[in-house]
Amino acid sequence: MPADALAPPLNWPDGLSAERFLRDYWQKQPLLLRGALPGFESPLGADELAGLACDPDVESRLVRESGDPPWQVQQGPFAEDQLTGLPGHGWSLLVQDVDKHLPELAVIADRFGFVPSWRFDDLMVSFAPPGGSVGAHVDAYDVFLLQGAGQRTWSIGPQPERPLCHPEAQLRVIDNFAPEEQWTLFPGDALYLPPGVAHHGVAGENCITWSVGFRAPSHQQLVAAAGLPATRPPSDDALYADPDLRLEEAAPGLISPRAIDRANAIVARHCGGKAPPSMHWFGELVTQPKHWLRAGPGEVAGGPQELEAALKGGDLLVRHGMTRLARSADGQLLFVDGDTFAVAEAQAGLVTLVCTNRELDARALAPWLGQPEVMELVHTLVCRGALCLGSLENGPAASI
Ligand code: SIN
Ligand code: CO
């Protein structure tokens, strides 16, 4: 993809568009998107996934359906022979945060850029042999289940009022799942599920599924981050919700004023009508990475001028795969992995550019090279490890 191009949009079914999806389906009802990514073939195969699951830095799980108790879950990392010795049926291997460990694959998530980037959580990839599944369950977050290889039959139904879960099982698999609809998905098809829909996906043949997962702060996290005393403590499971989301809120990196209003309304409800005066706390909360997935400090040998020379000389400016970035609508604040940076007027364009593109070359950066204030900010972000020199293909260059 060229450095300044946005990911191509999904292939929407007839009569649907991103605007209509947000209006009629987002956080409201499931939707089958046949051929959402035409020609999509999982860039990871079963062996590569197994390799990731053996890596101690990668979060992975093996779910087995048979045994006593049923639905056993084993957390990775796995030894190679644990995975090669598995039977030909009845299990699933799931790997989280593939977009962080293999940042060149994060472009798959960019295809879902009609949802604000701060709402994105991770790409989880699963492999299952025929008949494999993780059981019927309910998730608290929105997800697009994108078929990458083989086929999987998804059944969905309402969340049971009193979910019955097998008492000894290590997974909250719903025994009283009552499916109402069923579809078989083939590569390139996707199924959107809002939170709270019970679902069960069974592999028809060797099957790879990509889950494009979103996250939303809990009311408890919002109140704690806002730093106001709670007069009515929030319940454990209440989450920020945006069924009224509009497409213009999804500009890359943007935290929209409507998102701030929603968050402030939640805080006010729990804190005696008071809403916090600034938005720093919200940007810091939603860009907080998982603590084991944080970009380490960058190795920078020179100052802003040396950095500029390296970029002019052909190095790319690459966003670190683990970095979460967001910006305020007025352009004055940049949030990086839970911290706030004040943005000067001269730097605002560069901030939008790095929030929009995972990789920038000298041509895209041309208007900014030679501007000391801008190069100062770029240097700060490179020192922090949020931006690196190099390319997505070759990994970051060692240092400048
Ligand atoms: C899977 O990929 O097997 C499970 C995904 C899900 O149900 O959320
Ligand atoms: Co699920």
Side-chain angles (χ1 to χ4, degrees), residues 120-134:
F120 173 65
D121 184 15
D122 79 330
L123 288 176
M124 179 186 81
V125 184
S126 71
F127 171 81
S133 90
V134 297

Side-chain angles (χ1 to χ4, degrees), residues 77-101:
F78 297 95
E80 216 179 302
D81 57 359
Q82 277 178 291
L83 300 179
T84 46
L86 287 165
H89 58 89
W91 55 272
S92 292
L93 180 68
L94 302 102
V95 176
Q96 299 287 152
D97 293 295
V98 166
D99 53 298
K100 324 285 189 306
H101 299 294

